[in-house]
Amino acid sequence: MEWMKVKDALKAPIGTQLTVKGWVRTRRDSKADGGISFLAVSDGTCFDHIQVVAKNTLDNYPDEIVKITSGCSVEVDGELVESAGRGQDVEILAGAVRVAGWVDNPDSYPVSAKRHSFEYLREVAHLRPRTNTFGAVARVRHCMSLAIHRFFDQRDFYYVHTPIITGADCEGAGEMFRVSTLDLQNLPRKPDGRVNFDQDFFGKESHLTVSGQLNVETFCLALTRVYTFGPTFRAENSNTSRHLSEFWMIEPEIAFGDLSDDADLAEEFLKYIFDYLLTRRADDMAFFEKRIDPGVIDRLKHIIEKPFLRISYSEAVAVLKKTKRKFEFPVEWGSDLQSEHERFLTEEHFKQPVIVMDYPKEIKAFYMRKNDDGKTVAALDVLVPKIGEIIGGSQREERLDVLDDRIREMGLNLDDYWWYRDLRRYGTVPHSGFGLGFERLIQFCTGMANIRDVIPFPRAPRQAEF
RNA sequence: UCCUCAGUAGCUCAGCUGGUAGAGCGGGUGGCUGUUAACCACCAAGUCGGCGGUUCGAGUCCGUCCUGGGGAGCCA
């Protein structure tokens, strides 16, 4: 008999002879006709499980089937039939049920058939994929990854694998994890007492990357349109529902593109991937809508349907200063917009996604292109309801002399950026890009409150068990 | 890192002003039922986060450490 995944079995014609394999969610018994057991079997290929009907005529009924508990793995041969009960359209009338793996101690099975808190499930991260929520999150993550790659592929972007280990301590995007093979108990020293990194694996200090942007720019200025999508690391001791020590980031970069092109790309990107998600994972999204975050589907549709408004930072500040609404943090030209300001703009004032452009140069990174006014840089933030900033991007400074001034202004060392500066010496062009955190994207489109629940194995301060 | 709340059966929690522990779910057994958040009865299960202190006596009070949640900062 053909092994069918549950997602296909649920749609197969009545009468199909098939085998399904998976894990039992629940077993319910009836005494009718001398005994019938109902097994809810899930293989994770879709949100729903399939019901298996096992009758007492099966030879292992009394010895095995009635002892099956949540978590047991089974292989079932049988026929797909119309369900004689309510609650499902089809079910499998079993001809054979083989138990592949028992549950050692059903009394203490960590993900028993009951409600569990997310906090608890984090402690059993190896078993939580078997729950409705984490199965759905895993499928949504996959779907969104695919959507991102398809979006870029269809638009002639090449996927560039930027390095995980970096010797360039450049970006200043927070604390970095050191990569070293030196013996911590016996560090080689220089005469002045400092650690001698000449003897380290790479012959210099090295760290885990905090961004692939600088590297991907090099390929942008050769392949025209590129993107990275990979893990990034921050050693910040920040313990919140929106931060991880290890997370995934998407960073496209376009040559011969200015800030306006960048904004176009960001808007088209978000609309595409959310539409793809709603189309392809309707089952999981219905679950998130019903059980996790009512309203999440409307928020996504809102982004798909509404045009993104574009305003300057200065205009945004003017709007915020004019409103009667009280904020915890004051609004002043020159300081960064707080989350409450961003949400006010997109949720209450404009009631649509907003792209804020041209921020004061003091609050933005050195590589962002200086505008003619001398006060602002060509940066953009895409603001959406519920979370505020979802994307941050900029046009990069392509003029070597201006870039050098900015590096010096920020107190950085020109030599550290020698290869980055070379890009401005050899065939420089205007180029732009943006970045977004993949897990925050998944949080947004599932409504999951804690970022540790949208990545399979979260890494956070004091948390790397699995 | 700071502020704040919490840590009691496998899980979620209750336990008033200190007198040596209880419920629901889950699990087991039996009854009933084409079951599906099933229902009814019974049973098992906890050195009350660790260490120290106050007290005749601490789950309950004090100190400290560990762990987790929420918020802040930082940011993606």
Side-chain angles (χ1 to χ4, degrees):
Chain A
M1 266 184 266
E2 187 194 356
W3 172 24
M4 289 185 84
K5 307 302 184 291
V6 170
K7 76 179 174 64
D8 298 321
L10 287 168
K11 292 177 190 153
I14 298 297
T16 302
Q17 301 290 319
L18 75 174
T19 299
V20 297
K21 308 180 184 191
W23 293 265
V24 172
R25 287 289 179 80
T26 59
R27 189 200 84 234
R28 292 181 294 273
D29 300 322
S30 168
K31 282 289 154 47
D33 300 328
I36 304 180
S37 289
F38 301 90
L39 306 175
V41 176
S42 167
D43 67 2
T45 55
C46 59
F47 183 81
D48 291 312
H49 60 255
I50 195 163
Q51 174 159 285
V52 170
V53 181
K55 297 194 170 179
N56 63 355
T57 48
L58 297 171
D59 54 15
N60 63 341
Y61 187 80
D63 293 333
E64 293 194 329
I65 291 175
V66 298
K67 289 175 182 160
I68 288 172
T69 56
S70 296
C72 289
S73 50
V74 293
E75 299 180 9
V76 178
D77 303 329
E79 179 181 342
L80 193 73
V81 297
E82 280 185 50
S83 179
R86 285 189 293 273
Q88 58 280 319
D89 295 333
V90 296
E91 62 194 19
I92 295 173
L93 183 59
V97 175
R98 296 179 294 279
V99 178
W102 292 95
V103 166
D104 268 0
N105 181 6
D107 183 44
S108 59
Y109 179 54
V111 287
S112 58
K114 73 175 293 291
R115 274 226 172 76
H116 296 286
S117 67
F118 292 148
E119 293 82 4
Y120 165 70
L121 288 170
R122 268 170 232 151
E123 295 170 10
V124 288
H126 57 311
L127 296 171
R128 66 178 186 169
R130 302 181 183 197
T131 64
N132 280 338
T133 301
F134 290 91
V137 167
R139 286 183 296 273
V140 166
R141 260 186 90 96
H142 166 83
C143 180
M144 291 299 275
S145 302
L146 199 57
I148 288 162
H149 287 302
R150 283 174 61 106
F151 172 84
F152 287 129
D153 183 57
Q154 289 169 6
R155 286 160 186 77
D156 299 322
F157 283 73
Y158 290 110
Y159 178 24
V160 174
H161 303 97
T162 50
I164 308 285
I165 298 172
T166 174
D169 183 12
C170 290
E171 248 228 277
E175 291 294 309
M176 303 174 90
F177 287 102
R178 181 182 299 284
V179 175
S180 174
T181 54
L182 292 178
D183 179 0
L184 292 178
Q185 307 300 329
N186 186 23
L187 290 169
R189 301 282 178 178
K190 289 181 170 173
D192 63 7
R194 289 183 304 152
V195 174
N196 184 359
F197 287 103
D198 296 347
Q199 293 186 29
D200 205 346
F201 188 88
F202 295 107
K204 59 183 292 196
E205 291 187 71
S206 58
H207 299 86
L208 296 179
T209 184
V210 293
S211 165
Q213 182 199 313
L214 268 44
N215 288 286
V216 90
E217 277 188 50
T218 69
F219 277 74
C220 176
L221 297 195
L223 305 191
T224 307
R225 302 183 127 200
V226 296
Y227 67 107
T228 75
F229 184 0
T232 48
F233 307 86
R234 304 282 165 88
E236 299 285 357
N237 187 14
S238 58
N239 202 315
T240 83
S241 58
R242 300 178 311 284
H243 291 83
L244 289 167
S245 307
E246 176 182 300
F247 63 99
W248 289 63
M249 196 149 63
I250 299 120
E251 295 170 291
E253 195 75 24
I254 50 175
F256 305 100
D258 62 15
L259 192 68
S260 170
D261 298 318
D262 204 32
D264 291 344
L265 180 69
E267 177 170 353
E268 196 185 357
F269 172 81
L270 290 177
K271 289 179 192 292
Y272 178 94
I273 60 175
F274 291 150
D275 183 62
Y276 189 86
L277 175 66
L278 291 179
T279 306
R280 297 291 284 264
R281 288 258 58 101
D283 58 344
D284 293 316
M285 290 310 298
F287 167 77
F288 288 118
E289 172 73 24
K290 189 175 175 195
R291 288 292 164 79
I292 302 294
D293 182 18
V296 64
I297 289 179
D298 275 349
R299 274 203 305 280
L300 296 177
K301 284 184 175 165
H302 182 255
I303 290 176
I304 294 166
E305 287 157 10
K306 297 267 183 171
F308 289 20
L309 181 73
R310 298 179 192 191
I311 61 171
S312 71
Y313 167 87
S314 298
E315 289 168 320
V317 168
V319 166
L320 292 166
K321 287 182 91 90
K322 218 185 304 176
T323 181
K324 289 190 285 263
R325 168 67 187 275
K326 289 277 182 289
F327 296 111
E328 190 185 339
F329 294 90
V331 183
E332 209 54 56
W333 199 100
S335 62
D336 211 353
L337 299 181
Q338 297 291 319
S339 182
E340 58 173 341
H341 304 143
E342 297 173 339
R343 291 184 60 172
F344 171 80
L345 291 171
T346 180
E347 289 173 10
E348 294 178 45
H349 190 78
F350 294 116
K351 295 186 167 60
Q352 68 189 95
V354 178
I355 305 181
V356 180
M357 307 166 91
D358 299 321
Y359 283 76
K361 65 178 173 21
E362 287 75 17
I363 59 174
K364 291 292 182 182
F366 74 89
Y367 52 74
M368 297 185 177
R369 191 180 194 278
K370 202 175 196 176
N371 287 323
D372 293 341
D373 62 16
K375 296 188 299 186
T376 61
V377 290
L380 66 79
D381 281 354
V382 180
L383 312 182
V384 295
K386 183 92 171 180
I387 56 170
E389 180 191 335
I390 190 169
I391 281 179
S394 68
Q395 184 171 343
R396 320 308 188 189
E397 183 55 75
E398 83 281 13
R399 299 161 295 189
L400 182 64
D401 55 333
V402 184
L403 180 68
D404 285 353
D405 285 347
R406 288 283 289 149
I407 290 174
R408 280 188 289 256
E409 262 176 47
M410 299 282 221
L412 303 169
N413 184 358
L414 277 181
D415 294 338
D416 290 343
Y417 300 91
W418 69 270
W419 55 264
Y420 189 72
R421 294 172 60 246
D422 265 6
L423 299 175
R424 279 71 183 166
R425 300 170 62 210
Y426 306 125
T428 190
V429 298
H431 61 292
S432 319
F434 63 77
L436 75 160
F438 187 56
E439 283 71 24
R440 289 195 180 168
L441 182 70
I442 302 299
Q443 273 191 283
F444 179 71
C445 63
T446 59
M448 293 292 289
N450 195 309
I451 200 166
R452 296 171 189 201
D453 298 327
V454 298
I455 188 167
F457 299 103
R459 276 11 178 180
R462 315 184 68 80
Q463 190 175 358
E465 175 69 19
F466 295 93

